[in-house]
C-alpha cells in the first residue's frame, strides 16, 4: 500500500476526525451546536449521541478506532503461519 493508504495517513485521518467531532459552534439563536445535533444518525435519529453519527470514511473499516487499526492476528493456513494486519483487513472488506 502507498499514498493515502499508508498506516500513518490513516492515523492522521483518525486524528482529524476526532478533532472535527469535538468542534462546537454557536448558532445564530444562541444555541451551542455540536456534530450530534446535525449528523445523520439512522439508528437513533431522535436524540443522537456523538457515537450514533454515521461516519463515511475509510477508517470506518476499523470502526474509527485506532486500536482496531493497530491489531495484528496470527493466522495459520495448512502448515503455514503468518500474521494478518490492517492491510489484510482492508483487502478483505473491500
Amino acid at each position: 500500500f502507498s499514498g493515502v493508504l499508508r498506516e500513518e495517513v490513516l492515523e492522521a485521518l483518525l486524528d482529524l476526525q476526532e478533532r472535527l467531532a469535538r468542534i462546537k459552534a454557536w448558532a445564530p439563536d444562541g444555541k451551542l451546536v455540536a456534530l450530534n445535533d446535525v449528523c445523520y444518525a439512522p439508528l437513533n435519529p431522535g436524540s443522537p449521541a456523538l457515537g450514533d453519527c454515521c461516519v463515511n470514511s475509510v477508517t470506518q473499516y476499523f470502526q474509527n478506532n485506532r486500536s482496531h487499526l493497530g491489531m495484528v492476528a496470527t493466522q495459520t493456513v495448512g502448515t503455514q503461519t503468518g500474521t494478518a494486519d490492517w492491510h489484510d483487513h482492508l483487502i478483505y472488506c473491500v
Side-chain angles (χ1 to χ4, degrees):
F1 289 81
S2 65
V4 73
L5 290 178
R6 288 194 342 255
E7 188 172 8
E8 299 80 24
V9 174
L10 295 174
E11 289 174 354
L13 181 56
L14 280 169
D15 288 338
L16 177 60
Q17 286 176 199
E18 290 167 2
R19 287 197 330 258
L20 290 173
R22 290 190 301 266
I23 291 177
K24 295 181 181 178
W26 292 103
D29 65 358
K31 180 183 177 192
L32 186 61
V33 179
L35 177 62
N36 58 300
D37 294 314
V38 297
C39 75
Y40 175 60
L43 299 179
N44 188 10
S47 182
L50 187 57
D52 296 323
C53 296
C54 181
V55 176
N56 293 311
S57 169
V58 68
T59 60
Q60 185 58 43
Y61 289 113
F62 309 99
Q63 293 77 42
N64 295 313
N65 185 313
R66 187 175 316 281
S67 63
H68 292 179
L69 178 63
M71 292 177 96
V72 177
T74 302
Q75 179 174 321
T76 302
V77 177
T79 60
Q80 295 186 9
T81 299
T83 57
D85 63 5
W86 70 272
H87 299 92
D88 303 289
H89 182 73
L90 190 59
I91 289 170
Y92 178 77
C93 289
V94 175

